[in-house]
Structure formats: structure tokens, C-alpha cells
Amino acid sequence: MSWTPTIIAVRKYVYDAIVRQQNALVIPDLDIVETYYPKTKVQEMVKPKISLVSMQWSEDKLTRSNARELELPVQVAIQQHVNPTDTPTIDLLICLVEQVNKICAEVCIPDMTWLRTEPLSDPNNTPFSFLELHEQHLFQATFTVYYKAAVC
């Protein structure tokens, strides 16, 4: 019997890849969680937090037989309570976002490949939520990583 990929397993592979490389990150002292609810009270955030959220997969038929292609997304949210005028800290957080994005694109998952990464933009079409930065002093960057698998 062959292994059927699941979105929870994909999220775990992403989690493990980030944890393995955590000490090499520009901000190594951070929290990494697997969750379905990435929001944390800003007052409780003493260090950056990376939340990994499993999302609904999509499925396409590849042939007339039972072969199909699965697209398995994991959303990654990076959050930190900051002073909105603290440019050096925000610069470090943006570097962290880029590093985590690269890790996610290079994660090795059996019988799967990285397909694409899409940033989630705020209402102003920016990848970093300036509204939350202004109103809540919360740096937040969210992107979705898509992996592809063909199964029979």
C-alpha cells in the first residue's frame, strides 16, 4: 500500500525543516507552532512567532485512471510585537521572512515537490500588514507555500 500525502504531514515536514535550521536564522530565538489559529495577543508576544497552518488541498485528475495531482498548501505567518518606527528590528524580521520562505521552498518531502509561494497581501496590496503595524504595533507577514504530489 502506498503512502498518501496529507496536509498535516506536509505541515510537519515544514515545521521540522524550520526547527532544524532555527539556529542559522537571523533571529534564532523565536517560537514555532503548528496551529489552526495563528493570532496571539500582542501583549503576550515577547519574541517572534512563526505559525504554520494547514490549509485545504486541491485535487486534479491527471489521467483517465485514478491518478491525480494534489496541491497541498501550508500558510506561514510570522508575527512580532514591535515599535512601528523601529526600522532595524523590522529589517531583521523581513530578513527572517525571506529566510523562512527559502527554507519552505527547499524542504524535502517524499514524493512531493515545492510548487510556488504566494505572499498574502493586506488591503493596500502590501505583503506586510502596515495597518496592524500602525494600529497594534504588530509586524505580520504571511505567505502560503504550495507543494505538489501525484498519487494513484
Side-chain angles (χ1 to χ4, degrees):
M1 181 173 185
S2 66
W3 174 74
T4 302
T6 67
I7 194 62
I8 296 168
V10 173
R11 182 184 66 191
K12 181 67 174 154
Y13 275 100
V14 172
Y15 174 87
D16 290 345
I18 296 170
V19 168
R20 273 193 309 275
Q21 297 184 50
Q22 184 172 351
N23 288 332
L25 296 173
V26 68
I27 305 173
D29 186 21
L30 49 81
D31 293 323
I32 307 168
V33 297
E34 297 173 275
T35 184
Y36 292 99
Y37 188 68
K39 189 78 170 174
T40 302
K41 291 183 180 178
V42 175
Q43 301 82 0
E44 297 173 0
M45 297 186 86
V46 292
K47 56 186 173 180
K49 180 178 181 181
I50 299 174
S51 301
L52 304 172
V53 180
S54 299
M55 298 178 69
Q56 180 63 43
W57 65 91
S58 63
E59 189 173 338
D60 290 321
K61 193 169 188 169
L62 290 176
T63 64
R64 292 182 190 179
S65 67
N66 289 335
R68 61 197 196 284
E69 179 180 82
L70 298 177
E71 193 171 292
L72 301 142
V74 173
Q75 193 168 72
V76 180
I78 299 174
Q79 300 173 309
Q80 171 65 45
H81 183 247
V82 296
N83 180 328
T85 61
D86 185 356
T87 301
T89 298
I90 295 171
D91 285 347
L92 279 175
L93 288 163
I94 290 171
C95 289
L96 177 65
V97 171
E98 290 178 1
Q99 286 180 316
V100 172
N101 189 323
K102 186 173 191 264
I103 291 169
C104 292
E106 295 174 348
V107 67
C108 293
I109 305 173
D111 301 321
M112 286 190 216
T113 58
W114 168 79
L115 186 59
R116 70 183 179 283
T117 301
E118 295 178 358
L120 182 66
S121 297
D122 73 0
N124 297 317
N125 203 29
T126 58
F128 310 108
S129 183
F130 291 117
L131 185 62
E132 288 190 78
L133 185 61
H134 174 71
E135 292 182 358
Q136 298 180 27
H137 295 199
L138 178 67
F139 172 88
Q140 179 166 291
T142 305
F143 58 88
T144 305
V145 186
Y146 294 86
Y147 300 94
K148 177 176 68 171
V151 294
C152 296

